[in-house]
Coordinates of all heavy atoms in Angstrom, one line a residue:
M1 N 95.8 126.3 97.5 CA 95.3 125.0 97.0 C 96.3 124.2 96.4 O 97.3 124.5 95.7 CB 94.1 125.3 95.9 CG 93.5 124.1 95.4 SD 92.2 124.5 94.3 CE 91.4 122.9 94.2
T2 N 96.3 122.9 96.7 CA 97.3 121.9 96.2 C 96.6 121.1 95.0 O 95.6 120.6 95.2 CB 97.9 121.0 97.3 OG1 98.3 121.9 98.2 CG2 98.9 120.1 96.8
M3 N 97.3 120.9 94.1 CA 96.8 120.0 92.9 C 97.0 118.6 93.2 O 97.9 118.1 93.8 CB 97.5 120.4 91.7 CG 97.1 119.6 90.5 SD 97.9 120.1 88.9 CE 96.6 121.1 88.2
D4 N 96.0 117.8 92.9 CA 95.9 116.4 93.1 C 97.1 115.7 92.2 O 97.1 115.9 91.1 CB 94.6 115.9 92.7 CG 94.5 114.4 92.9 OD1 95.5 113.6 93.3 OD2 93.4 113.9 92.8
P5 N 98.1 115.1 92.9 CA 99.2 114.6 92.1 C 98.7 113.5 91.1 O 99.4 113.3 90.1 CB 100.1 113.8 93.2 CG 99.2 113.8 94.5 CD 98.1 114.7 94.3
K6 N 97.6 112.9 91.3 CA 97.1 111.9 90.4 C 96.7 112.7 89.0 O 96.9 112.1 87.9 CB 95.8 111.1 90.9 CG 96.3 110.1 91.9 CD 95.2 109.4 92.5 CE 95.7 108.5 93.6 NZ 94.7 107.9 94.3
L7 N 96.3 114.0 89.1 CA 96.0 114.7 87.9 C 97.2 115.2 87.3 O 97.1 115.2 85.9 CB 95.2 116.2 88.3 CG 93.8 115.8 88.8 CD1 93.1 117.1 89.3 CD2 92.9 115.2 87.7
L8 N 98.3 115.3 87.9 CA 99.6 115.7 87.3 C 100.1 114.5 86.5 O 100.8 114.7 85.6 CB 100.7 116.2 88.4 CG 100.4 117.6 88.9 CD1 101.4 117.6 90.1 CD2 100.6 118.6 87.9
L9 N 99.8 113.3 86.8 CA 100.2 112.1 86.2 C 99.3 111.5 85.1 O 99.5 110.6 84.5 CB 100.7 111.1 87.1 CG 101.9 111.5 88.1 CD1 102.2 110.5 89.1 CD2 103.1 111.7 87.3
S10 N 98.0 112.2 85.1 CA 97.0 111.7 84.2 C 97.5 112.1 82.7 O 98.2 113.1 82.5 CB 95.7 112.3 84.5 OG 95.6 113.6 84.2
G11 N 96.9 111.4 81.7 CA 97.1 111.8 80.4 C 96.6 113.2 80.0 O 97.1 113.7 78.9
E12 N 95.9 113.8 80.7 CA 95.3 115.2 80.5 C 96.3 116.2 80.9 O 96.2 117.5 80.4 CB 94.0 115.4 81.1 CG 93.0 114.4 80.7 CD 91.9 114.3 81.7 OE1 91.7 115.0 82.5 OE2 91.0 113.4 81.5
S13 N 97.3 116.0 81.6 CA 98.3 116.9 82.2 C 99.4 117.1 81.2 O 100.0 116.0 80.7 CB 98.9 116.5 83.6 OG 100.0 117.3 83.9
P14 N 99.8 118.4 80.8 CA 100.8 118.6 79.9 C 102.1 118.2 80.5 O 103.1 118.0 79.9 CB 100.9 120.0 79.7 CG 100.0 120.7 80.7 CD 99.2 119.6 81.3
L15 N 102.2 118.0 81.9 CA 103.5 117.7 82.5 C 103.6 116.1 82.7 O 104.7 115.6 83.0 CB 103.5 118.2 84.0 CG 103.7 119.7 84.1 CD1 103.5 120.0 85.5 CD2 104.8 120.1 83.4
A16 N 102.7 115.3 82.4 CA 102.5 113.9 82.6 C 103.7 113.2 82.1 O 104.4 112.4 82.8 CB 101.2 113.4 82.1
E17 N 103.9 113.3 80.8 CA 105.0 112.6 80.1 C 106.4 112.9 80.7 O 107.2 112.1 80.9 CB 105.0 112.7 78.7 CG 103.8 112.0 78.1 CD 103.9 110.5 78.4 OE1 104.8 109.8 78.2 OE2 102.7 110.1 78.8
K18 N 106.6 114.3 81.0 CA 108.0 114.7 81.6 C 108.0 114.0 83.0 O 109.1 113.6 83.4 CB 108.0 116.2 81.6 CG 108.0 116.8 80.3 CD 108.5 118.2 80.3 CE 108.4 118.8 78.9 NZ 109.4 118.3 78.0
L19 N 107.0 114.2 83.9 CA 107.1 113.6 85.1 C 107.4 112.1 85.2 O 108.1 111.6 86.0 CB 105.8 113.9 86.0 CG 105.7 115.4 86.4 CD1 104.4 115.6 87.0 CD2 106.8 115.8 87.5
K20 N 106.7 111.4 84.3 CA 106.8 109.9 84.2 C 108.2 109.5 83.7 O 108.5 108.4 83.9 CB 105.7 109.3 83.2 CG 104.2 109.5 83.8 CD 103.2 109.0 82.9 CE 101.9 109.1 83.5 NZ 100.8 108.6 82.5
S21 N 108.9 110.3 83.2 CA 110.1 110.0 82.5 C 111.4 110.4 83.5 O 112.4 110.0 83.2 CB 110.5 110.6 81.2 OG 110.5 112.0 81.4
V22 N 111.0 111.0 84.6 CA 112.1 111.4 85.5 C 112.7 110.2 86.3 O 112.0 109.3 86.6 CB 111.4 112.3 86.6 CG1 112.4 112.6 87.9 CG2 111.1 113.7 86.0
T23 N 114.0 110.1 86.4 CA 114.6 109.0 87.1 C 115.3 109.3 88.5 O 115.2 108.5 89.3 CB 115.8 108.4 86.3 OG1 116.6 109.4 85.8 CG2 115.2 107.7 85.0
V24 N 115.5 110.6 88.6 CA 116.1 111.1 89.9 C 115.6 112.4 90.2 O 115.6 113.4 89.3 CB 117.7 111.2 89.8 CG1 118.2 111.7 91.2 CG2 118.3 109.8 89.7
I25 N 115.1 112.7 91.4 CA 114.6 114.1 91.8 C 115.6 114.5 93.0 O 115.7 113.9 94.0 CB 113.1 113.8 92.3 CG1 112.2 113.4 91.3 CG2 112.7 115.2 92.9 CD1 110.9 113.0 91.8
Y26 N 116.0 115.7 92.7 CA 116.9 116.4 93.7 C 116.2 117.6 94.3 O 115.8 118.5 93.6 CB 118.3 116.7 93.2 CG 119.2 117.3 94.0 CD1 120.0 116.5 94.9 CD2 119.4 118.7 94.2 CE1 120.8 117.1 95.8 CE2 120.4 119.3 95.0 CZ 121.0 118.4 95.9 OH 122.0 119.0 96.6
L27 N 116.0 117.5 95.7 CA 115.2 118.6 96.3 C 115.9 119.3 97.3 O 116.6 118.8 98.2 CB 114.0 118.0 97.0 CG 112.9 117.3 96.0 CD1 112.0 116.6 96.8 CD2 112.3 118.4 95.3
Y28 N 116.0 120.6 97.2 CA 116.5 121.5 98.2 C 115.4 122.5 98.5 O 115.4 123.5 97.8 CB 117.8 122.1 97.8 CG 118.4 123.2 98.8 CD1 118.6 122.8 100.1 CD2 118.7 124.4 98.5 CE1 119.2 123.6 101.1 CE2 119.2 125.4 99.4 CZ 119.3 124.8 100.7 OH 119.9 125.8 101.6
T29 N 114.6 122.3 99.4 CA 113.5 123.1 99.7 C 113.1 123.0 101.2 O 113.4 122.2 102.0 CB 112.3 122.5 98.9 OG1 111.1 123.4 99.0 CG2 111.8 121.2 99.3
Y30 N 112.4 124.2 101.5 CA 112.0 124.2 103.0 C 111.0 123.2 103.3 O 110.4 122.6 102.4 CB 111.5 125.6 103.3 CG 112.5 126.6 103.3 CD1 112.5 127.5 102.4 CD2 113.4 126.7 104.5 CE1 113.6 128.5 102.4 CE2 114.3 127.6 104.6 CZ 114.4 128.6 103.5 OH 115.4 129.6 103.6
P31 N 110.9 122.6 104.6 CA 110.1 121.5 105.0 C 108.6 121.7 104.6 O 108.0 120.8 104.3 CB 110.2 121.6 106.6 CG 111.6 122.1 106.7 CD 111.7 123.2 105.7
T32 N 108.1 122.9 104.7 CA 106.5 123.2 104.4 C 106.4 122.7 102.9 O 105.4 122.0 102.8 CB 106.3 124.7 104.4 OG1 106.7 125.1 105.7 CG2 104.8 124.9 104.3
L33 N 107.1 123.1 102.0 CA 106.9 122.7 100.6 C 107.3 121.2 100.5 O 106.7 120.5 99.8 CB 107.7 123.5 99.7 CG 107.7 123.1 98.1 CD1 106.2 123.1 97.6 CD2 108.7 123.9 97.2
L34 N 108.2 120.7 101.1 CA 108.8 119.3 101.0 C 107.6 118.5 101.4 O 107.3 117.4 100.8 CB 109.9 119.2 101.8 CG 110.6 117.7 101.8 CD1 111.0 117.2 100.4 CD2 111.8 117.6 102.6
M35 N 106.9 118.8 102.6 CA 105.9 118.0 103.1 C 104.7 118.0 102.2 O 103.9 117.0 102.0 CB 105.5 118.3 104.4 CG 106.6 118.1 105.4 SD 107.3 116.5 105.4 CE 106.0 115.5 105.9
R36 N 104.5 119.2 101.4 CA 103.3 119.2 100.5 C 103.6 118.4 99.3 O 102.7 118.1 98.5 CB 103.0 120.6 100.1 CG 102.5 121.4 101.4 CD 102.1 122.9 101.1 NE 101.1 122.9 100.2 CZ 99.8 123.2 100.6 NH1 99.6 123.2 101.9 NH2 98.8 123.4 99.8
L37 N 104.9 118.0 99.1 CA 105.2 117.2 97.8 C 105.1 115.7 98.0 O 105.2 115.0 97.2 CB 106.6 117.6 97.4 CG 106.8 118.9 96.8 CD1 108.4 119.3 96.6 CD2 106.1 119.1 95.4
I38 N 105.0 115.4 99.2 CA 104.9 113.9 99.7 C 104.0 113.1 98.8 O 104.3 112.0 98.3 CB 104.6 113.7 101.1 CG1 105.6 114.3 101.9 CG2 104.4 112.3 101.5 CD1 107.1 113.6 101.8
P39 N 102.7 113.5 98.6 CA 101.8 112.7 97.8 C 102.3 112.5 96.3 O 102.2 111.4 95.9 CB 100.5 113.5 97.7 CG 100.5 114.3 99.0 CD 102.0 114.6 99.2
L40 N 102.9 113.5 95.8 CA 103.4 113.3 94.4 C 104.6 112.5 94.4 O 104.8 111.5 93.5 CB 103.7 114.7 93.8 CG 104.5 114.8 92.5 CD1 103.6 114.1 91.4 CD2 104.9 116.1 92.1
L41 N 105.5 112.6 95.4 CA 106.8 111.8 95.5 C 106.5 110.4 95.7 O 107.0 109.4 95.2 CB 107.7 112.4 96.6 CG 108.2 113.7 96.4 CD1 109.0 114.2 97.6 CD2 109.0 114.0 95.1
A42 N 105.4 110.1 96.6 CA 105.0 108.8 96.8 C 104.5 108.0 95.5 O 104.9 107.0 95.1 CB 103.7 108.8 97.8
L43 N 103.7 108.8 94.7 CA 103.2 108.2 93.4 C 104.4 108.0 92.4 O 104.5 107.0 91.7 CB 102.3 109.2 92.8 CG 100.8 109.2 93.3 CD1 100.0 110.2 92.6 CD2 100.3 107.7 92.9
L44 N 105.3 108.9 92.5 CA 106.4 108.8 91.5 C 107.4 107.7 91.9 O 108.1 107.2 91.0 CB 107.3 110.1 91.5 CG 106.6 111.3 90.8 CD1 107.4 112.5 90.8 CD2 106.4 110.9 89.2
T45 N 107.5 107.3 93.2 CA 108.3 106.2 93.6 C 107.7 104.8 93.8 O 108.3 103.9 94.1 CB 109.2 106.5 95.0 OG1 108.2 106.9 95.9 CG2 110.0 107.8 94.7
D46 N 106.3 104.9 93.5 CA 105.5 103.7 93.6 C 105.7 102.7 92.3 O 105.0 103.0 91.4 CB 104.2 103.9 93.9 CG 103.3 102.7 94.2 OD1 103.8 101.6 94.0 OD2 102.1 102.9 94.6
D47 N 106.5 101.8 92.3 CA 106.8 101.1 91.1 C 105.7 100.1 90.8 O 105.6 99.6 89.8 CB 108.2 100.5 91.0 CG 108.5 99.5 92.2 OD1 107.7 99.3 93.0 OD2 109.7 99.0 92.2
S48 N 104.8 99.8 91.7 CA 103.8 98.9 91.5 C 102.7 99.5 90.6 O 101.9 98.9 90.0 CB 103.0 98.6 92.8 OG 102.2 99.7 93.4
Q49 N 102.8 100.8 90.5 CA 101.9 101.6 89.5 C 102.4 101.3 88.1 O 101.5 101.4 87.0 CB 101.9 103.1 89.8 CG 101.4 103.5 91.1 CD 99.9 103.3 91.2 OE1 99.3 103.5 90.3 NE2 99.5 103.0 92.5
G50 N 103.5 101.1 87.9 CA 104.3 100.8 86.6 C 104.2 101.9 85.6 O 104.6 101.6 84.3
F51 N 104.0 103.1 85.9 CA 104.1 104.1 84.9 C 105.1 105.2 85.2 O 105.3 106.1 84.4 CB 102.7 104.8 84.8 CG 102.2 105.4 86.0 CD1 102.7 106.6 86.6 CD2 101.1 104.9 86.6 CE1 102.1 107.1 87.7 CE2 100.5 105.4 87.8 CZ 101.0 106.5 88.3
T52 N 106.0 105.0 86.1 CA 107.1 106.1 86.4 C 108.4 105.3 86.4 O 108.5 104.2 86.6 CB 106.9 106.7 87.6 OG1 107.0 105.9 88.8 CG2 105.6 107.4 87.8
K53 N 109.4 106.1 86.1 CA 110.8 105.5 86.1 C 111.7 106.0 87.3 O 112.8 106.0 87.2 CB 111.4 105.9 84.7 CG 110.8 105.3 83.6 CD 111.4 105.8 82.3 CE 110.6 105.1 81.1 NZ 111.0 105.7 79.9
C54 N 111.0 106.8 88.2 CA 111.7 107.5 89.2 C 112.4 106.4 90.2 O 111.7 105.6 90.8 CB 110.9 108.3 90.1 SG 111.8 109.2 91.4
R55 N 113.7 106.4 90.3 CA 114.4 105.5 91.1 C 115.0 106.0 92.3 O 115.4 105.2 93.2 CB 115.5 104.7 90.2 CG 114.9 104.0 89.1 CD 114.3 102.7 89.5 NE 113.5 102.3 88.3 CZ 112.1 102.2 88.3 NH1 111.5 102.7 89.2 NH2 111.6 101.7 87.2
A56 N 115.2 107.2 92.4 CA 115.7 107.9 93.6 C 115.3 109.3 93.8 O 115.1 110.1 92.9 CB 117.3 107.8 93.6
I57 N 115.1 109.7 95.0 CA 114.9 111.1 95.5 C 115.9 111.3 96.4 O 116.2 110.6 97.4 CB 113.4 111.3 96.2 CG1 112.4 110.8 95.0 CG2 113.3 112.7 96.8 CD1 111.0 111.0 95.6
A58 N 116.5 112.7 96.3 CA 117.6 113.0 97.2 C 117.2 114.5 97.8 O 116.6 115.3 97.1 CB 118.8 113.2 96.4
T59 N 117.5 114.6 99.1 CA 117.1 115.8 99.7 C 118.4 116.4 100.4 O 119.3 115.7 100.8 CB 116.0 115.6 100.7 OG1 116.5 114.8 101.7 CG2 114.7 115.3 100.2
L60 N 118.4 117.7 100.3 CA 119.7 118.3 100.9 C 119.1 119.3 102.1 O 118.2 120.0 101.9 CB 120.2 119.3 99.9 CG 121.3 120.2 100.3 CD1 122.6 119.3 100.9 CD2 122.0 121.1 99.2
T61 N 119.8 119.1 103.4 CA 119.4 120.0 104.4 C 118.2 119.6 105.1 O 118.1 119.3 106.3 CB 119.5 121.4 104.1 OG1 120.7 121.7 103.6 CG2 119.4 122.2 105.5
Y62 N 117.1 119.8 104.4 CA 115.8 119.5 104.9 C 115.4 118.0 104.4 O 115.3 118.0 103.1 CB 114.7 120.5 104.5 CG 115.1 121.8 105.0 CD1 115.7 122.8 104.2 CD2 115.1 122.3 106.4 CE1 116.2 124.1 104.5 CE2 115.5 123.4 106.9 CZ 116.2 124.3 105.8 OH 116.6 125.6 106.4
H63 N 114.8 117.2 105.3 CA 114.6 115.9 104.9 C 113.2 115.3 105.2 O 112.5 115.9 106.0 CB 115.5 114.8 105.6 CG 117.0 115.3 105.3 ND1 117.6 115.3 104.1 CD2 117.9 115.9 106.1 CE1 118.8 115.7 104.1 NE2 119.1 116.1 105.4
I64 N 112.7 114.3 104.4 CA 111.5 113.7 104.7 C 111.6 112.9 106.0 O 112.5 112.2 106.1 CB 111.1 112.9 103.4 CG1 111.0 113.6 102.2 CG2 109.7 112.1 103.7 CD1 111.0 112.9 100.9
P65 N 110.6 112.9 106.8 CA 110.6 112.1 108.0 C 110.9 110.6 107.7 O 110.4 110.1 106.8 CB 109.1 112.2 108.6 CG 108.7 113.6 108.0 CD 109.2 113.6 106.7
D66 N 111.7 110.0 108.6 CA 112.1 108.5 108.4 C 111.0 107.6 108.3 O 111.2 106.6 107.6 CB 113.0 108.2 109.5 CG 114.5 108.8 109.5 OD1 114.7 109.4 108.4 OD2 115.0 109.0 110.5
D67 N 109.8 107.9 109.0 CA 108.7 106.9 108.9 C 108.0 107.0 107.6 O 107.1 106.2 107.4 CB 107.7 107.1 110.1 CG 107.1 108.4 110.1 OD1 107.6 109.5 109.4 OD2 106.1 108.6 110.7
Q68 N 108.3 108.0 106.7 CA 107.7 108.0 105.4 C 108.5 107.7 104.2 O 108.2 107.9 103.0 CB 107.2 109.5 105.2 CG 106.0 109.8 106.1 CD 105.5 111.1 105.9 OE1 105.8 112.2 106.5 NE2 104.7 111.2 104.8
V69 N 109.7 107.0 104.5 CA 110.8 106.8 103.4 C 111.5 105.5 103.5 O 111.5 105.0 104.6 CB 111.8 107.9 103.3 CG1 111.0 109.1 102.9 CG2 112.5 108.0 104.4
L70 N 111.9 104.9 102.4 CA 112.9 103.9 102.5 C 114.3 104.6 102.1 O 114.3 105.1 101.0 CB 112.7 102.8 101.4 CG 111.5 101.9 101.7 CD1 111.3 100.8 100.8 CD2 111.8 101.1 103.2
T71 N 115.1 104.7 103.1 CA 116.4 105.5 102.8 C 117.4 104.6 102.3 O 117.6 103.4 102.8 CB 116.9 106.1 104.3 OG1 115.8 107.0 104.7 CG2 118.2 107.0 104.0
T72 N 118.2 104.9 101.3 CA 119.1 104.1 100.7 C 120.5 104.5 100.9 O 121.5 103.9 101.0 CB 118.9 104.0 99.1 OG1 119.0 105.2 98.6 CG2 117.7 103.2 98.7
K73 N 120.6 105.8 101.3 CA 122.1 106.4 101.6 C 121.8 107.7 102.4 O 120.9 108.5 102.2 CB 122.8 106.7 100.3 CG 124.2 107.4 100.6 CD 125.0 107.3 99.3 CE 126.2 108.0 99.8 NZ 127.5 107.4 99.3
I74 N 122.7 107.9 103.3 CA 122.9 109.2 104.1 C 124.3 109.6 103.9 O 125.3 109.0 104.4 CB 122.4 109.0 105.6 CG1 121.0 108.5 105.7 CG2 122.6 110.2 106.3 CD1 120.6 108.2 107.2
D75 N 124.4 110.8 103.5 CA 125.8 111.4 103.3 C 125.8 112.6 104.3 O 125.3 113.7 104.1 CB 125.9 112.0 102.0 CG 127.3 112.7 101.8 OD1 128.0 113.0 102.8 OD2 127.6 113.0 100.6
Q76 N 126.4 112.3 105.6 CA 126.4 113.2 106.7 C 127.2 114.5 106.5 O 126.9 115.5 106.9 CB 126.6 112.5 108.0 CG 125.6 111.5 108.4 CD 125.9 111.0 109.7 OE1 126.9 111.2 110.3 NE2 124.8 110.3 110.2
E77 N 128.2 114.1 105.7 CA 129.3 115.3 105.4 C 128.6 116.4 104.6 O 128.7 117.6 104.9 CB 130.5 114.9 104.7 CG 131.4 115.8 104.5 CD 132.7 115.4 103.7 OE1 132.8 114.2 103.6 OE2 133.4 116.2 103.2
N78 N 127.8 116.1 103.7 CA 127.1 117.0 102.8 C 125.6 117.2 103.1 O 124.9 117.8 102.5 CB 127.2 116.6 101.4 CG 128.7 116.6 101.0 OD1 129.4 117.6 101.0 ND2 129.2 115.4 100.5
D79 N 125.1 116.5 104.2 CA 123.7 116.6 104.7 C 122.7 116.3 103.5 O 121.7 117.0 103.3 CB 123.4 117.9 105.3 CG 122.2 117.8 106.1 OD1 121.8 116.6 106.4 OD2 121.6 118.9 106.4
I80 N 123.1 115.1 102.8 CA 122.2 114.6 101.7 C 121.6 113.2 102.1 O 122.3 112.4 102.6 CB 122.9 114.4 100.4 CG1 123.5 115.9 99.9 CG2 122.1 113.9 99.3 CD1 124.4 115.9 98.7
R81 N 120.4 113.0 101.9 CA 119.7 111.7 102.0 C 119.1 111.3 100.6 O 118.5 112.2 100.0 CB 118.6 111.8 103.1 CG 119.2 111.9 104.5 CD 118.3 111.9 105.6 NE 118.9 112.2 106.8 CZ 118.2 112.2 107.9 NH1 116.9 111.8 108.0 NH2 118.6 112.6 109.0
V82 N 119.3 110.0 100.4 CA 118.7 109.4 99.1 C 117.8 108.3 99.5 O 118.0 107.5 100.3 CB 119.8 108.8 98.4 CG1 119.2 108.3 97.1 CG2 120.9 109.9 98.0
Y83 N 116.6 108.6 98.8 CA 115.4 107.6 99.2 C 115.0 106.8 97.9 O 115.1 107.4 96.7 CB 114.2 108.3 99.5 CG 114.4 109.4 100.7 CD1 114.4 110.8 100.3 CD2 114.8 109.1 102.0 CE1 114.7 111.8 101.2 CE2 114.9 110.1 102.9 CZ 115.0 111.4 102.4 OH 115.2 112.4 103.4
S84 N 114.7 105.5 98.0 CA 114.2 104.8 97.0 C 112.7 104.8 96.9 O 112.1 104.4 95.9 CB 114.7 103.4 97.1 OG 114.2 102.7 98.1
R85 N 112.1 105.1 98.0 CA 110.6 104.9 98.1 C 110.1 106.0 99.1 O 110.6 106.2 100.2 CB 110.1 103.7 98.5 CG 108.6 103.3 98.5 CD 108.0 103.3 97.1 NE 106.6 102.8 97.3 CZ 105.6 103.6 97.4 NH1 105.8 104.8 97.2 NH2 104.4 103.3 97.4
V86 N 109.0 106.6 98.7 CA 108.3 107.7 99.6 C 106.9 107.0 99.9 O 106.3 106.7 98.9 CB 108.3 109.1 99.2 CG1 107.5 110.0 99.9 CG2 109.7 109.7 99.0
F87 N 106.3 107.2 101.2 CA 105.0 106.7 101.4 C 104.2 107.9 101.8 O 104.6 108.7 102.7 CB 105.1 105.6 102.6 CG 106.0 104.5 102.3 CD1 107.2 104.4 102.7 CD2 105.5 103.5 101.5 CE1 108.0 103.4 102.4 CE2 106.2 102.5 101.1 CZ 107.5 102.2 101.5
D88 N 103.0 108.0 101.3 CA 102.0 109.1 101.7 C 101.1 108.5 102.9 O 100.2 107.8 102.6 CB 101.2 109.5 100.5 CG 100.3 110.5 100.8 OD1 100.4 111.2 102.1 OD2 99.5 111.0 100.0
T89 N 101.6 108.7 104.0 CA 100.9 108.1 105.3 C 99.6 108.8 105.3 O 98.6 108.1 106.0 CB 101.9 108.2 106.5 OG1 102.1 109.6 106.7 CG2 103.0 107.4 106.4
K90 N 99.3 109.9 104.9 CA 98.1 110.7 105.1 C 97.0 110.1 104.1 O 95.8 110.1 104.3 CB 98.3 112.1 104.8 CG 99.2 112.7 105.8 CD 98.8 114.1 106.2 CE 99.9 114.9 107.1 NZ 100.1 114.3 108.3
E91 N 97.5 109.4 103.1 CA 96.6 108.8 102.1 C 95.7 107.8 102.7 O 94.5 107.7 102.3 CB 97.5 108.1 101.0 CG 96.7 107.5 99.8 CD 97.6 106.9 98.8 OE1 98.1 107.6 98.0 OE2 97.9 105.6 99.0
N92 N 96.0 107.1 103.7 CA 95.3 106.1 104.3 C 94.4 106.6 105.5 O 93.6 105.9 106.1 CB 96.0 105.0 104.9 CG 96.8 104.2 103.7 OD1 96.1 104.1 102.6 ND2 98.0 103.7 103.8
D93 N 94.6 107.9 105.9 CA 94.0 108.4 107.0 C 92.5 108.7 106.6 O 92.3 109.3 105.5 CB 94.6 109.7 107.5 CG 95.8 109.5 108.2 OD1 96.1 108.3 108.3 OD2 96.7 110.5 108.4
S94 N 91.5 108.7 107.5 CA 90.2 108.9 107.2 C 89.7 110.2 107.9 O 90.2 110.3 109.0 CB 89.2 107.8 107.3 OG 89.7 106.6 106.6

């Protein structure tokens, strides 16, 4: 079972203040977990919400699909990608 990312960012969550203060997220994880993190990463990079400070997400080796991100940098030598925004495309699926 996956926890609703909105619950993690609500005032009732003990992690809420810590997550809201994060400015950079660096991930080195397998694709299965990475894809399960998409809803949370989308909320953390959505500055229209006004409650997070996350400005960048970096992935090493395993990356978020290009159609779900705004990529700001690709370091091919070290296989790192930096994103300024992640989109939860499943959020709009019915």
Side-chain angles (χ1 to χ4, degrees):
M1 179 176 194
T2 303
M3 180 175 260
D4 181 354
K6 291 177 183 173
L7 288 176
L8 285 175
L9 295 174
S10 74
E12 299 161 9
S13 168
L15 295 175
E17 288 307 310
K18 292 193 184 297
L19 286 172
K20 290 178 183 179
S21 66
V22 169
T23 56
V24 176
I25 298 170
Y26 182 80
L27 298 168
Y28 176 57
T29 184
Y30 286 108
T32 305
L33 176 58
L34 184 59
M35 296 311 294
R36 292 179 73 91
L37 290 172
I38 295 292
L40 177 60
L41 300 175
L43 280 174
L44 290 172
T45 59
D46 184 0
D47 56 5
S48 72
Q49 299 289 327
F51 56 72
T52 67
K53 298 177 182 175
C54 185
R55 298 294 168 246
I57 294 175
T59 57
L60 173 66
T61 306
Y62 303 104
H63 307 292
I64 301 169
D66 291 340
D67 64 339
Q68 290 187 262
V69 293
L70 289 178
T71 304
T72 57
K73 181 171 176 133
I74 297 174
D75 177 344
Q76 292 187 351
E77 180 180 350
N78 296 300
D79 198 15
I80 296 172
R81 292 188 188 181
V82 179
Y83 315 106
S84 60
R85 182 78 170 92
V86 176
F87 302 98
D88 184 6
T89 56
K90 300 209 186 306
E91 183 177 274
N92 298 324
D93 292 349
S94 298

